[in-house]
Amino acid sequence: MAFPSLRRAALVAAVIGLAGLVIAPPAAAAAPRPPHIKGTETAPVYDYASAVRESVWVTTKLDNDGDGAPDKVVVDLVRPREAAAGKVPVIMDASPYYQCCGRGNESELKEYAADGSVTKFPLFYDNYFVPRGYAFAAVDFNGTSRSTGCGDVGGREEIEGVKAVIDWLNGRAKGAYADGTPARASWTTGKVGMIGKSWDGSVANGVAATGVEGLETIVPIAAISSWYDYYRDNGALYTIDGGPAWLSGYVNGRPDEVCQPVRDALYEGSANATGDYNSFWAERNFVPDARKVRASVFIAHGINDNNVETKHFAQWWDALARAGVPRKIWLGQEGHVDPFDFRRAEWVDTLHRWFDYWLQDLDNGIMREPMATIERAPDVWVDEPAWPARGAFTLPVSLGAGDGTTGTLGLRPSRGEMSIVDNPALRERAAVANPNTVVAGRSVFLSAPLERNLRISGTATVSLRVKVDKPNTEISARLVDYGTATRINYQGAKEGIRNLTTESCHGASIPADDACYLETAKDVVTADAAIMTRGWVDAAHRDSLTRPTQLRPGRWYTVTFDLNAHDAVLPAGRVLGLVLTLSDTQYTVPTSTGATVQVDLSRSRLGLPVSLAPGATALPDATVAPKVSAPAPRVYAEEPDRESGLIPQG
């Protein structure tokens, strides 16, 4: 709509010029910069101790607790008191954990004074950013803490409830203080950046997928992108009773009887008996709506996260790329851990610059820097121009019979068959150890020792031509790096880190809310093998997640499934292994066990995402598997079954 007026202005200028007149337009007075802007960064100039702390109840458009009143979401705020700050943007962490479970490595909770006013915010975001000219908003999901409504775990109530806070910050929704007095966010620019780990980051993904105006950036850390994929993998169940209904109750802050109908609906909708994908899960899948995202996205994820697996960031990242969304990514070697607890100083600095760029309009160059930052080994970080690796492609790797005990991986087509007899008692530790020995219930395929470094970057696939003696079976696959190395102990108590007794401080402190947190160090072990990635499939869901079909015993079928995304450089001399088993009672809840599966090796493949130097050979050919010494390593000490600890928390 501005184009005609611009054209008219150009025409007037031309006429004046022809008349020989030169008239300089009056110089526009530059708007004064607030004190917290110092060059291309924000500086801590405002008093944290005297900052405004307040709570606002934001009215939503929903009423899922059925009390006849719109549900309300509580947002606890802290912002600079000084008028010189002007209008400020908002950093928001929306969470279900502020009262039930805590946030961060030290499980901090919100704290309140006797009159209900907020006195302590978990994590460092408020301490660090409020003195730098930001507000911080800690939002309680519907059904948690003081918010009304009932939690629906990734559903419409959760997403629309948090979205309403952004609407309120931009004058599109109503808010009130505890006494009912209207609350208006006249102090903000309306620009919002959401951040959070695990479930907190998941809601950031979901709110961004609505395309809400005012949300400028999100920083999802170890976040879910599709709740079906949090509880299932290709139809294979991760849990039955510990699903969304249980999780809603776990964080519930309302009387049990108020929200039990919602939890009953969650249990019914999740289709635990079948593992099917349905409308319930489609509502909780944010990936298809990546095209609606207006916000930039800075993803952080542990490449060894067994809670919120790497498929979550990978499928979200790929969808954002197709939509042209500005983005950045950090991938650490740890498990379900916040970068604040494994690369603290660099993370705080990068977040500072990211928010300054997207919320304060400061051109600090961060978007001209490499897109990806990856931890190659404990505390060894590299920058990459893209993720997956630029030029990465899927290499078709054949499965060979080898010596009859251990098969081979190579580039030449192979022949023959092999069989796997289900062994539900087989644990992961035993499945990957000593690959040259016979272990009931597994088949192992090994490459020859690598002749040069090999980078695996992206999502591997397994395609098997199988014949099964039962109507259904689960198939499990693991891609293993065999070779002795110092590795992150991501299956340790704190998933790759250990707490120290010293602290570091990031931001301003007051007696009620300090900015100091325990420092950490990497938890490392020397191990003879590393499982790089895993994947599972319920064979009846091989062609459709919504309409499973049973197999006819004795008939050949092709079953293809993805493993979780990964990125690693295997040094020369290492051996790549593929370990196949059937039902996995450690990580999944199989719906069918006891099958025997015949595999046609000539029509089975491993699709390996690799990045090669020009002229390099990915895998040397081998007709017989190499001898590998890999006793059950300490990094794979027996861990609890997935069902006993599936909580997206941190």
Side-chain angles (χ1 to χ4, degrees):
M1 296 297 292
F3 290 161
S5 60
L6 288 173
R7 225 178 267 120
R8 284 196 299 271
L11 180 60
V12 170
V15 171
I16 293 174
L18 288 173
L21 300 175
V22 179
I23 301 176
R33 300 185 108 193
H36 62 271
I37 303 297
K38 306 292 185 183
T40 59
E41 69 176 9
T42 55
V45 300
Y46 304 122
D47 181 33
Y48 179 72
S50 64
V52 176
R53 292 169 174 82
E54 57 188 351
S55 300
V56 174
W57 278 253
V58 174
T59 301
T60 76
K61 299 177 181 179
L62 305 176
D63 175 25
N64 83 334
D65 59 12
D67 65 357
D71 298 333
K72 294 183 179 181
V73 174
V74 175
V75 49
D76 290 316
L77 289 154
V78 56
R79 55 188 172 85
R81 184 175 296 275
E82 292 89 343
K87 293 189 174 185
V88 297
V90 179
I91 295 172
M92 177 192 299
D93 186 348
S95 178
Y97 294 127
Y98 282 128
Q99 286 303 298
C100 79
C101 318
R103 304 309 300 124
N105 184 34
E106 298 174 42
S107 300
E108 290 188 311
L109 300 171
K110 285 184 186 177
E111 295 180 8
Y112 299 90
D115 63 0
S117 58
V118 61
T119 57
K120 177 180 174 63
F121 293 85
L123 306 177
F124 77 100
Y125 304 134
D126 55 314
N127 310 81
Y128 188 85
F129 285 104
V130 169
R132 288 172 164 81
Y134 292 85
F136 177 68
V139 180
D140 295 308
F141 285 7
N142 288 102
T144 70
S145 191
R146 298 186 292 178
S147 295
T148 64
C150 297
D152 61 354
V153 185
R156 185 165 178 258
E157 176 86 3
E158 182 172 300
I159 301 304
E160 290 296 324
V162 176
K163 175 180 174 291
V165 178
I166 298 175
D167 287 334
W168 172 71
L169 290 167
N170 283 275
R172 300 187 297 266
K174 294 182 179 180
Y177 298 111
D179 62 3
T181 304
R184 296 179 178 85
S186 57
W187 45 265
T188 179
T189 62
K191 290 187 174 185
V192 180
M194 292 186 68
I195 189 171
K197 179 193 168 191
S198 205
W199 198 345
D200 303 16
S202 308
V203 79
N205 285 339
V207 173
T210 70
V212 60
E213 185 177 353
L215 183 59
E216 301 295 324
T217 190
I218 64 171
V219 184
I221 304 165
I224 295 165
S225 59
S226 166
W227 280 88
Y228 177 89
D229 291 321
Y230 184 68
Y231 287 113
R232 318 275 163 85
D233 193 17
N234 302 301
L237 297 168
Y238 288 166
T239 179
I240 294 179
D241 296 327
W246 177 85
L247 192 56
S248 176
Y250 182 76
V251 300
N252 182 49
R254 309 294 308 284
D256 284 340
E257 66 274 10
V258 171
C259 292
Q260 190 58 48
V262 172
R263 290 196 290 275
D264 291 343
L266 292 176
Y267 187 84
E268 181 69 23
S270 58
N272 280 335
T274 65
D276 292 353
Y277 184 89
N278 55 21
S279 59
F280 175 92
W281 295 111
E283 179 183 322
R284 293 159 173 79
N285 184 0
F286 312 132
V287 178
D289 288 328
R291 55 188 171 78
K292 299 180 183 178
V293 174
R294 299 183 182 185
S296 63
V297 181
F298 182 6
I299 289 174
H301 215 104
I303 208 71
N304 290 306
D305 193 335
N306 283 338
N307 186 329
V308 179
E309 296 168 313
T310 55
K311 59 186 172 182
H312 288 278
F313 86 76
Q315 62 192 3
W316 185 231
W317 179 263
D318 290 345
L320 294 170
R322 291 191 294 270
V325 173
R327 61 205 188 284
K328 185 176 180 65
I329 191 167
W330 270 33
L331 297 176
Q333 288 280 325
E334 293 68 27
H336 198 60
V337 184
D338 192 312
F340 184 76
D341 294 313
F342 61 73
R343 202 185 184 210
R344 183 168 299 178
E346 294 85 351
W347 176 247
V348 173
D349 178 68
T350 305
L351 272 186
H352 181 189
R353 297 173 63 237
W354 183 263
F355 284 136
D356 276 1
Y357 182 90
W358 288 105
L359 300 181
Q360 302 273 5
D361 298 322
L362 298 178
D363 188 6
N364 51 28
I366 194 166
M367 295 307 293
R368 295 187 292 275
E369 295 173 359
M371 180 182 290
T373 300
I374 302 171
E375 189 177 18
R376 287 273 172 254
D379 289 323
V380 177
W381 292 83
V382 297
D383 290 328
E384 296 284 348
W387 193 90
R390 188 167 289 172
F393 67 97
T394 299
L395 181 75
V397 179
S398 297
L399 312 186
D403 61 8
T405 296
T406 307
T408 58
L409 295 175
L411 302 184
R412 292 184 180 181
S414 62
R415 301 176 63 182
E417 296 180 6
M418 49 78 69
S419 64
I420 309 174
V421 179
D422 191 22
N423 179 7
L426 182 62
R427 306 281 285 184
E428 179 174 89
R429 186 181 181 191
V432 304
N434 299 316
N436 300 108
T437 62
V438 175
V439 173
R442 77 167 186 190
S443 287
V444 181
F445 302 86
L446 299 178
S447 75
L450 299 177
E451 296 174 350
R452 62 187 69 204
N453 294 356
L454 174 66
R455 182 175 178 187
I456 297 173
S457 182
T459 299
T461 60
V462 173
S463 183
L464 302 175
R465 187 69 171 172
V466 299
K467 184 166 59 177
V468 184
D469 68 347
K470 287 182 176 289
N472 194 18
T473 186
E474 184 175 281
I475 302 174
S476 308
R478 289 166 172 82
L479 200 60
V480 185
D481 168 16
Y482 286 105
T484 303
T486 299
R487 309 182 193 275
I488 295 286
N489 185 21
Y490 68 87
Q491 289 184 332
K494 298 188 76 65
E495 302 190 51
I497 63 170
R498 54 186 176 85
N499 288 342
L500 304 178
T501 58
T502 54
E503 290 187 329
S504 66
C505 304
H506 297 270
S509 293
I510 58 175
D513 191 341
D514 68 64
C516 303
Y517 295 87
L518 290 174
E519 293 183 303
T520 67
K522 296 295 171 70
D523 179 10
V524 298
V525 294
T526 298
D528 297 312
I531 298 176
M532 294 185 289
T533 177
R534 305 164 175 84
W536 302 266
V537 64
D538 175 75
H541 288 85
R542 66 198 177 278
D543 297 322
S544 172
L545 293 179
T546 59
R547 297 178 180 177
T549 55
Q550 299 291 295
L551 295 84
R552 293 182 185 176
R555 179 178 173 181
W556 288 100
Y557 295 89
T558 297
V559 178
T560 301
F561 58 104
D562 289 344
L563 308 187
N564 277 292
H566 198 70
D567 197 289
V569 175
L570 274 62
R574 295 280 181 84
V575 171
L576 178 67
L578 174 67
V579 178
L580 299 178
T581 59
L582 299 184
S583 60
D584 180 356
T585 57
Q586 184 176 352
Y587 279 81
T588 70
V589 182
T591 57
S592 177
T593 61
T596 296
V597 173
Q598 199 74 14
V599 181
D600 179 356
L601 298 177
S602 67
R603 302 180 68 182
S604 298
R605 296 286 184 275
L606 166 66
L608 193 65
V610 299
S611 175
L612 302 177
T617 300
L619 289 175
D621 284 311
T623 57
V624 178
K627 298 299 181 182
V628 173
S629 175
R634 187 175 142 225
V635 72
Y636 298 116
E638 291 295 339
E639 61 175 354
D641 292 348
R642 185 197 296 272
E643 187 174 11
S644 68
L646 197 60
I647 304 171
Q649 185 185 346

